[in-house]
């Protein structure tokens, strides 16, 4: 019985029966589709260890280096979970990866802050990780001098939160970040990370620590690159500023510091292409041994800042206006490493001159990435 156009009408028995049958069929179809999904019944493929599949947690995987690492791992048939709070990461990079690898069980993104111990432990409890690549950090020199406590907390406390969760869930660690006091930095030195190294030596993990300095370049196919938000570009890398200037995004390049005690007055840095760096990470992951801590410097040697700027000009063919300014607080005259151990091990060393190769990307890939940022629920 129902109303239509103000008139009381009655359904026939046959009409009612067909509606019931249709509802039953649709319900059965929905149940069937749900059963085919990886997460049906509360069990996700990411929560189990599958033979022949290595599941890697990539913290900071929405960032510049982390997204390139995730891309390489996915290309090599790893299962990848990205955890990022998007304070510096780019949701656009995650979307690029999701489009490239849409198959179920390949890639998942979790929006979380590593400073939240409860959230971190929940992630480890609900996922079966075989390894962790830890890239989550803040890394702008100028900003670090203005907010030193924030930087210290992010790099130390948050890293310890991850390590504690890994120890509690008996997962392997694989991390990389660097801090230097002496030049060059040798692999035997524990500058800035000695307390972590001593902690890691006491627990049952396979640990590889890669230390590096100025990362440049982008995915050779232009799918990813360095794409900081506009408000962060002032604190960004000189490589990004060079490409922005070459593309006309900014009117020119600002070189800060020409009175350093070096041959040409500009600072000396150790540059490495991001694809070479990611390659070293993957090789180090394969080389990791239980209950051992390996420390490797991944670098290419000394490069004067002036040399890098000239390489960018030559590779892009652009006329870049350069403005020379006073030093930036927090910058050292020389920051480079001695990569002897990595060059004689299976972690390898780049074979192509880094500045020239990175500069050939003409824009560092940033013009090809959607600049989606913030909470993924709103993107």
């Amino acid at each position: 019985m129902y109303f239509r156009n103000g008139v009381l009408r009655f359904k026939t028995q046959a009409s009612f029966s067909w509606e019931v049958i249709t509802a039953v069929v649709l319900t059965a179809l929905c149940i069937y589709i749900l059963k085919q999904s990886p997460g049906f019944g509360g069990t996700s493929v990411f929560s189990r260890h599958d033979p022949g599949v290595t599941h890697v947690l990539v913290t900071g995987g929405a960032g510049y280096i982390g997204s390139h690492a995730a891309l390489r791992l996915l290309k090599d048939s790893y299962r990848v979970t990205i955890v990022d709070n998007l304070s510096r990461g780019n949701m656009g990079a995650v979307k690029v990866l999701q489009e490239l690898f849409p198959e179920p069980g390949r890639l998942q993104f979790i929006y979380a802050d590593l400073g939240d111990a409860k959230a971190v432990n929940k992630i480890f409890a609900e996922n079966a990780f075989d390894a962790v690549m830890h890239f989550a950090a803040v890394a702008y020199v100028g900003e670090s001098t203005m907010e030193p406590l924030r930087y210290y907390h992010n790099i130390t406390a948050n890293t310890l939160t991850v390590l504690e969760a890994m120890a509690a869930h008996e997962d392997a660690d694989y991390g990389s970040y660097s801090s230097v006091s002496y030049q060059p930095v040798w692999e035997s030195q524990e500058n800035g990370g000695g307390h972590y190294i001593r902690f890691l030596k006491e627990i049952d993990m396979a640990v590889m620590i890669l230390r590096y300095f100025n990362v440049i370049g982008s995915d050779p196919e232009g799918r990813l690159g360095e794409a900081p938000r506009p408000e962060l570009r002032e604190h960004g890398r000189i490589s990004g500023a060079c490409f922005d200037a070459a593309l006309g995004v900014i009117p020119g390049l600002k070189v800060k510091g020409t009175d350093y005690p070096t041959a040409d007055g500009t600072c000396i840095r150790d540059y490495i292409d991001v694809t070479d760096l990611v390659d070293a990470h993957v090789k180090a992951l394969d080389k990791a041994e239980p209950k051992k801590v390996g420390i490797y410097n991944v670098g290419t040697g000394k490069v004067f800042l002036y040399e890098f700027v000239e390489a960018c000009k030559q590779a892009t063919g652009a006329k870049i206006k350069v403005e020379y300014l006073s030093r930036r607080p927090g910058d050292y005259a020389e920051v480079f490493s001695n990569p002897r151990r990595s060059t004689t091990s299976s972690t390898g060393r780049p074979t192509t001159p880094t500045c020239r190769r990175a500069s050939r990307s003409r824009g560092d890939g940033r013009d090809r990435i959607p600049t989606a940022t913030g909470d993924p629920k709103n993107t």
Side-chain angles (χ1 to χ4, degrees):
M1 183 175 65
Y2 62 97
F3 282 94
R4 177 181 291 175
N5 299 326
V7 180
L8 183 64
R9 301 176 184 273
F10 292 87
K11 290 184 177 180
T12 64
Q13 184 68 31
S15 175
F16 179 77
S17 298
W18 274 111
E19 288 183 4
V20 171
I21 293 172
T22 301
V24 170
V25 170
L26 288 174
T27 301
L29 180 61
C30 289
I31 292 174
Y32 174 79
I33 293 173
L34 283 172
K35 283 186 175 182
Q36 306 310 307
S37 65
F40 180 76
T43 302
S44 165
V45 295
F46 294 94
S47 66
R48 65 173 185 252
H49 292 285
D50 290 330
V53 178
T54 302
H55 184 186
V56 182
L57 166 62
V58 181
T59 68
Y64 171 42
I65 302 172
S67 62
H68 280 83
L71 174 61
R72 169 62 187 273
L73 290 169
L74 289 164
K75 286 172 62 179
D76 288 357
S77 299
Y78 287 83
R79 178 175 292 159
V80 175
T81 292
I82 291 174
V83 172
D84 203 301
N85 68 358
L86 300 179
S87 62
R88 296 300 161 89
N90 190 329
M91 192 61 197
V94 176
K95 290 181 177 179
V96 168
L97 295 172
Q98 290 171 334
E99 291 170 0
L100 289 171
F101 303 94
E103 303 87 355
R106 295 300 316 281
L107 169 67
Q108 70 169 335
F109 171 75
I110 300 175
Y111 178 73
D113 193 317
L114 298 185
D116 185 343
K118 183 178 179 180
V120 172
N121 277 284
K122 184 174 184 291
I123 290 169
F124 275 86
E126 295 178 350
N127 293 275
F129 299 123
D130 298 299
V132 177
M133 285 190 177
H134 181 45
F135 296 104
V138 283
Y140 291 139
V141 173
E143 187 184 53
S144 70
T145 63
M146 296 185 290
E147 302 181 65
L149 291 179
R150 176 190 175 197
Y151 267 63
Y152 187 81
H153 185 276
N154 180 283
I155 295 173
T156 57
N158 289 5
T159 300
L160 284 172
T161 297
V162 175
L163 292 175
E164 288 166 351
M166 290 165 56
H169 294 85
E170 299 182 354
D171 287 279
D173 174 44
Y174 177 75
S176 58
Y177 47 87
S178 62
S179 178
V180 299
S181 297
Y182 308 98
Q183 301 302 329
V185 176
W186 294 76
E187 282 97 338
S188 58
Q189 293 173 212
E190 296 184 354
N191 306 69
H195 47 304
Y196 291 132
I197 295 169
R198 289 188 290 274
F199 168 78
L200 293 169
K201 286 180 177 178
E202 299 299 321
I203 56 181
D204 187 15
M205 291 185 185
V207 182
M208 298 292 278
I209 299 176
L210 271 63
R211 299 191 294 197
Y212 43 89
F213 301 101
N214 293 70
V215 186
I216 56 178
S218 67
D219 167 50
E221 296 182 39
R223 294 166 293 187
L224 295 172
E226 183 183 6
R229 295 194 299 273
E231 67 270 22
L232 296 175
R233 289 189 175 184
E234 178 67 23
H235 301 293
R237 300 173 179 86
I238 186 67
S239 55
C242 272
F243 297 123
D244 277 344
L247 289 168
V249 176
I250 58 177
L253 177 64
K254 297 179 180 179
V255 174
K256 298 180 180 180
T258 58
D259 60 346
Y260 289 104
T262 60
D264 68 359
T266 61
C267 56
I268 294 175
R269 293 294 180 262
D270 191 340
Y271 295 95
I272 182 169
D273 187 272
V274 67
T275 53
D276 288 329
L277 178 62
V278 167
D279 181 64
H281 278 74
V282 174
K283 289 179 179 178
L285 179 59
D286 293 334
K287 188 180 174 64
E289 299 180 46
K291 298 184 179 181
K292 291 188 178 181
V293 179
I295 306 174
Y296 294 90
N297 291 335
V298 185
T300 56
K302 297 182 179 182
V303 176
F304 287 93
L305 183 56
Y306 178 80
E307 290 179 300
F308 180 85
V309 173
E310 290 304 307
C312 183
K313 288 180 180 180
Q314 182 179 358
T316 61
K319 294 182 178 180
I320 301 175
K321 178 183 177 182
V322 182
E323 182 180 1
Y324 294 95
L325 305 172
S326 58
R327 297 186 191 185
R328 179 179 62 178
D331 272 332
Y332 290 94
E334 301 182 36
V335 179
F336 62 96
S337 65
N338 184 312
R340 178 184 55 81
R341 185 180 295 173
S342 63
T343 60
T344 57
S345 72
S346 60
T347 55
R349 178 175 181 163
T351 56
T352 308
T354 305
C355 290
R356 176 159 43 86
R357 174 171 143 189
S359 297
R360 281 204 301 264
S361 63
R362 293 187 63 86
D364 209 20
R366 66 182 61 206
D367 54 328
R368 301 178 181 90
I369 303 177
T371 54
T373 56
D375 190 331
K377 297 188 289 293
N378 300 322
T379 58

